[in-house]
């Protein structure tokens, strides 16, 4: 019972962190777009290259949200 609570609490903490990072990285990319930053070497808007950052954190957040409801899926002792 304690293990289940611990796994859910751990997943909640990771969800909060990755959600916050997704939010701040999205703001960073939008600011880069607003300023018109460009990559000097390939002459491409930087925000297009940086867009992977909020996407990655958002997908991690969704993953850990799932693990909050189904903690056994992440449990290393679970039989797969």
């Amino acid at each position: 019972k304690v293990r289940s609570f611990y796994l859910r609490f751990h997943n909640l903490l990771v969800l909060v962190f990755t959600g916050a990072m997704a939010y701040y990285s999205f703001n960073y990319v939008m600011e880069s777009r607003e300023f018109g930053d460009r990559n000097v070497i390939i002459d491409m808007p930087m925000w297009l290259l940086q867009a992977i950052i909020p996407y990655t954190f958002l997908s991690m957040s969704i993953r850990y949200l799932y693990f909050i409801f189904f903690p056994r899926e992440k449990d290393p002792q679970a039989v797969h």
Side-chain angles (χ1 to χ4, degrees):
K1 198 139 178 112
V2 173
R3 183 173 185 79
S4 177
F5 172 76
Y6 169 75
L7 286 173
R8 287 184 178 170
F9 183 71
H10 172 264
N11 293 332
L12 178 65
L13 287 177
V14 176
L15 170 68
V16 169
F17 175 77
T18 56
M21 293 304 294
Y23 172 76
Y24 288 118
S25 62
F26 177 77
N27 287 341
Y28 176 75
V29 171
M30 289 298 105
E31 189 174 282
S32 178
R33 182 178 179 197
E34 184 178 324
F35 288 149
D37 296 342
R38 297 189 71 78
N39 186 311
V40 179
I41 297 172
I42 58 176
D43 193 36
M44 183 177 188
M46 285 299 292
W47 71 270
L48 288 173
L49 301 171
Q50 296 165 343
I52 192 70
I53 301 168
Y55 167 76
T56 303
F57 281 117
L58 181 64
S59 65
M60 288 171 63
S61 297
I62 293 169
R63 177 181 181 209
Y64 282 96
L65 178 65
Y66 173 79
F67 287 149
I68 288 173
F69 295 107
F70 304 102
R72 285 285 293 171
E73 295 294 324
K74 188 181 174 204
D75 188 2
Q77 295 179 355
V79 177
H80 292 284

